[in-house]
């Protein structure tokens, strides 16, 4: 039996503590907040998208950084193991669109309660309002931790599960990166990810609240196409958000300090010719209307003034006076609605932190540091990240399991 200190009572820390304790270890979870799982509580818009019920290949396809590192973790403890765990612990779950797994109650608190109950049952001791300040490392082996009040807690094993750097009000303030750096680890540069973008054009404010479904968004850096996706996009008071934009943020990171162009095809189901025909028909049936009032059937109301502005056609012009050239220009504006992206929103709006402790210095079978004996890192503090859909929590669960089972993996 070992004395295990788990630093951080979030998704990974709680999960690991259950498996450490199940094996008969003395387990202490040190959580700086007054409660466990503050970030878990806000996941999935308060519903907690626990994992994704896809096949294993898709699990890997949705990981963005360092998927190879996760081979052992995902093959040893996969999404179905996670679903079984929660069901066996009494949580009813359901699978929704895109294989997203949620608690049947739609309440993230039920996920937290399930973990808390299991922790209690196996005798995990939780220390609330307990902030770890530093690790105690002697001769290449971790010996315990020093708390913010300078008290020391000695341990045989220390597992750091302090999370990333986003939504810091939940407690993830990046402390684990500091612990790792002080232990000699390399930190791969951090950045917000799964995050909305700012848009340069002033008129973006006029589109606030508009949600566009079934559009195609393509991002260019200069002339280079760096991302393209069909789906849903949302305009906000500062820029763009919504599923395709949030995903895009994961892919375009290395270009983000440059000005990027987002080109939206508002009618991807129609070719240029088909759209031109459609507009011609609309104009024919509105022959005496002015241009301003002729697009209602084709486009959402909010975007029409911007389309008119970009088309360069006088809004008071009668549709039967619009030239072929002007109409072609209008088609082009609708198929290539262009915006300038000038940077990500902050960590406060980022679902995850990209970067973190270099996985080159972590044993993928056990999550143990290759630099410091008996020191483990799990969850978002590692340089691992995935798309939305339950995949980031799957990383937390799988890496937590591997650490807790480390003695069996070696
Ligand atoms: C708004 C939002 C929605 C999300 N929705 C989903 C979703 O539906 N599905 C999904 O898969 N992922 C989702 N994520 C991502 C997911 O929540 C994280 O990837 C996951 O919580 C990471 O788990 P973790 O245990 O590594 O870190 P966290 O859950 O952040 O836990 C870290 C814990 O460590 C504690 N801590 C930090 N420093 C110290 C210290 N020095 N001493 C003691 N304690 C400390 C913190 O207080 C915190 O409780 C979402 C994230 C956000 C922000």
């Amino acid at each position: 039996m070992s004395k295990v200190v788990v630093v951080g009572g979030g998704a990974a820390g709680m999960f690991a503590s259950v498996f450490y304790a199940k094996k008969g270890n003395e387990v202490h979870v040190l959580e700086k907040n007054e409660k466990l799982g503050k970030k878990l509580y806000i996941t999935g818009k308060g519903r907690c998208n626990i994992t994704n019920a896809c096949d294993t290949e898709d699990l890997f396809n949705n990981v963005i950084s360092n998927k190879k590192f996760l081979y052992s973790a995902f093959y040893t403890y996969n999404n179905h193991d996670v679903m079984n765990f929660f069901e066996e612990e009494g949580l009813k779950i359901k699978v929704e669109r895109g294989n997203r797994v949620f608690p049947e109650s739609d309440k993230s608190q039920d996920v937290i309660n399930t973990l808390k109950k299991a922790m209690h049952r196996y005798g995990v001791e939780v220390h609330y309002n307990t902030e770890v300040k530093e690790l105690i490392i002697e001769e290449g082996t971790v010996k315990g931790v020093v708390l913010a009040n300078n008290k020391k807690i000695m341990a045989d094993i220390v597992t750091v599960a302090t999370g990333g750097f986003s939504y810091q009000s939940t407690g993830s303030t990046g402390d684990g990166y500091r612990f790792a750096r002080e232990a000699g680890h390399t930190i791969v540069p951090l950045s917000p990810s799964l995050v909305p973008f700012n848009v340069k054009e002033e008129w973006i404010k006029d589109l606030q609240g508009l949600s566009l479904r079934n559009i195609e968004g393509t991002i260019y850096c200069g002339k280079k196409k760096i991302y393209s996706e069909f789906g849903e996009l949302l305009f906000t008071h500062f820029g763009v958000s919504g599923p395709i934009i949030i995903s895009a943020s994961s892919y375009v990171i290395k270009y983000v300090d440059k000005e990027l162009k987002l080109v939206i095809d508002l009618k991807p189901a129609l070719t240029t010719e088909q759209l031109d025909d459609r507009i011609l028909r609309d104009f024919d049936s509105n022959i005496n209307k002015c241009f301003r009032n002729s697009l209602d059937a084709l486009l959402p109301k909010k975007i029409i003034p911007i389309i008119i502005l970009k088309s360069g056609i006088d809004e008071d012009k009668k549709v039967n006076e619009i030239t072929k050239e002007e109409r072609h220009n209008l088609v082009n504006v609708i198929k290539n609605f262009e915006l300038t992206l000038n940077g990500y929103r902050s960590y406060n709006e980022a679902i995850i932190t990209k970067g973190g402790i270099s996985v080159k210095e972590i044993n993928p079978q056990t999550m143990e540091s290759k630099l410091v004996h008996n020191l483990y890192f799990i969850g978002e503090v590692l340089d691992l990240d995935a798309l939305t859909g339950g995949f980031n929590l799957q990383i937390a669960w799988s890496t937590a399991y591997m650490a807790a089972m480390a003695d069996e993996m070696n």
Side-chain angles (χ1 to χ4, degrees), residues 1-4 18-27 122:
M1 182 175 104
S2 302
K3 180 173 174 186
V4 182
V18 171
F19 288 95
Y20 276 125
K22 245 183 179 179
K23 294 171 71 181
N25 296 301
E26 177 191 333
V27 187
Y122 295 111

Side-chain angles (χ1 to χ4, degrees), residues 8 10-12 31-33 43-44 49 132 163 167 171-172 175 351 380 390 393:
E31 169 53 55
K32 70 173 166 189
N33 288 325
T43 55
N49 180 188
V132 171
Y167 280 77
S172 346
D175 300 11
I351 291 177
E380 203 178 318
L393 280 174

Side-chain angles (χ1 to χ4, degrees), residues 81-211:
D81 296 316
V82 171
M83 289 186 267
N84 289 341
F85 168 85
F86 279 105
E87 282 182 318
E88 278 164 19
E89 291 297 334
L91 182 76
K92 290 208 169 89
I93 57 174
K94 59 179 174 181
V95 181
E96 290 193 357
R97 188 176 51 92
N99 285 324
R100 291 165 190 245
V101 179
F102 291 92
E104 205 175 86
S105 63
D106 285 328
K107 290 191 182 115
S108 57
Q109 187 61 50
D110 290 345
V111 177
I112 299 168
N113 289 345
T114 304
L115 289 168
K116 277 171 74 173
K117 253 197 274 169
M119 288 164 75
H120 183 71
R121 183 151 23 87
Y122 295 111
V124 175
E125 199 173 316
V126 182
H127 304 248
Y128 295 98
N129 302 308
T130 304
E131 182 177 344
V132 171
K133 191 169 76 173
E134 58 191 58
L135 306 179
I136 304 168
I137 297 168
E138 288 168 10
E139 292 165 11
T141 301
V142 73
K143 298 286 179 186
V145 297
V146 183
L147 305 182
N149 62 10
N150 289 324
K151 272 197 187 147
K152 288 181 181 169
I153 300 183
M154 306 313 282
D156 304 309
I157 288 172
V158 174
T159 299
V160 176
T162 46
F165 199 52
S166 74
Y167 280 77
Q168 295 185 12
S169 57
T170 63
S172 346
T173 49
D175 300 11
Y177 304 127
R178 181 168 51 79
F179 302 154
R181 204 178 288 116
E182 286 166 2
H185 279 276
T186 310
I187 307 300
V188 174
L190 307 176
S191 83
S193 198
L194 299 182
V195 64
F197 284 86
N198 287 313
V199 165
K200 193 171 172 186
E201 284 80 7
E202 277 294 315
W203 46 253
I204 195 74
K205 293 187 185 74
D206 300 337
L207 297 181
Q208 179 175 355
L210 174 63
S211 169

Side-chain angles (χ1 to χ4, degrees), residues 380-400:
E380 203 178 318
V381 74
L382 292 167
D383 177 22
L384 299 169
D385 63 271
L387 294 175
T388 57
F391 302 102
N392 285 294
L393 280 174
Q394 181 63 43
I395 291 174
W397 314 131
S398 291
T399 55

